[in-house]
Amino acid sequence: MIRFLMIDSQQTCFNLICQALKDQGYTSQGKLLDDINSFEKALNLQWDAIIFNNAYDFDYKKALEIMENKGKLIPLILLSEQDIQSPEILEAYQLGVYVVSSPTHYHFLTLNLYRASVYTKLVRRETQLSIELDQLQQHTQTLVDTTEHAVAIFQDGVHVSVNEQYAK
């Protein structure tokens, strides 16, 4: 399932992207919006990618800024017909755009959307595993500190932690 948020002032492109995803065998759930207030509210939900084409009251730079301020690590796909080697596209990549894609090449756009979705899911999983590892390390340290037996923790052959009984 690819969950994407699309910022565009017209329904047509959104519908074509949804149909292209379906035609290529992807299941998707998308939401279309076109103003900054709706965008800020929608960021509270979980998205795999954001597609930016056109908005009434903000541009992709503002979208990136809002995402950064909210701590959202969601790939932003910018739709543009500009030459990939243009200074504007280079600036977009430098500002943090995940990929620039043509709004008329739906096969490439859906592949980029799929790639962004996979990336987002991997980042989420890595974050979850990191949290679980931290919790396990804290739990292990608590056990070492509270046991009455001599205990030491080794990592790569080096003492990482010992309790008072082991130190004696």
Side-chain angles (χ1 to χ4, degrees):
M1 169 72 77
I2 299 172
R3 292 181 39 88
F4 70 97
L5 178 63
M6 182 160 181
I7 299 126
D8 197 354
S9 57
Q10 296 182 12
Q11 181 85 33
T12 308
C13 189
F14 177 79
N15 292 343
L16 291 170
I17 291 170
C18 290
Q19 187 60 49
L21 286 165
K22 185 177 177 182
D23 291 347
Q24 292 181 33
Y26 299 116
T27 57
S28 66
Q29 181 180 8
K31 178 173 177 72
L32 177 67
L33 53 87
D34 60 5
D35 66 278
I36 195 167
N37 291 332
S38 298
F39 177 66
E40 287 177 331
K41 289 176 188 174
L43 281 178
N44 294 322
L45 301 173
Q46 191 169 353
W47 303 104
D48 296 330
I50 296 172
I51 302 172
F52 193 99
N53 192 24
N54 184 33
Y56 287 119
D57 55 356
F58 70 112
D59 62 3
Y60 79 91
K61 294 175 188 177
K62 184 67 176 175
L64 289 169
E65 180 184 321
I66 292 168
M67 290 166 54
E68 183 177 339
N69 290 339
K70 288 189 169 232
K72 300 293 182 175
L73 299 173
I74 307 168
L76 188 136
I77 299 170
L78 179 63
L79 299 184
S80 177
E81 290 289 352
Q82 289 187 347
D83 179 19
I84 195 74
Q85 296 179 347
S86 72
E88 293 83 7
I89 299 301
L90 177 61
E91 179 188 22
Y93 280 117
Q94 290 171 335
L95 290 172
V97 167
Y98 181 75
V99 71
V100 178
S101 190
S102 169
T104 58
H105 294 109
Y106 295 105
H107 182 72
F108 290 112
L109 179 54
T110 56
L111 286 175
N112 284 325
L113 189 53
Y114 173 74
R115 288 179 53 244
S117 174
V118 169
Y119 170 77
T120 300
K121 290 171 183 166
L122 288 171
V123 168
R124 277 191 205 121
R125 184 68 180 140
E126 179 184 32
T127 302
Q128 181 61 33
L129 288 173
S130 178
I131 290 167
E132 289 175 15
L133 179 62
D134 287 345
Q135 290 171 341
L136 285 172
Q137 287 174 336
Q138 289 174 1
H139 182 69
T140 302
Q141 189 60 46
T142 300
L143 288 174
V144 168
D145 293 341
T146 60
T147 187
E148 42 186 74
H149 302 289
V151 178
I153 298 176
F154 293 88
Q155 184 173 345
D156 297 327
V158 177
H159 282 90
V160 176
S161 178
V162 298
N163 67 356
E164 192 175 315
Q165 289 78 6
Y166 186 88
K168 291 178 182 180

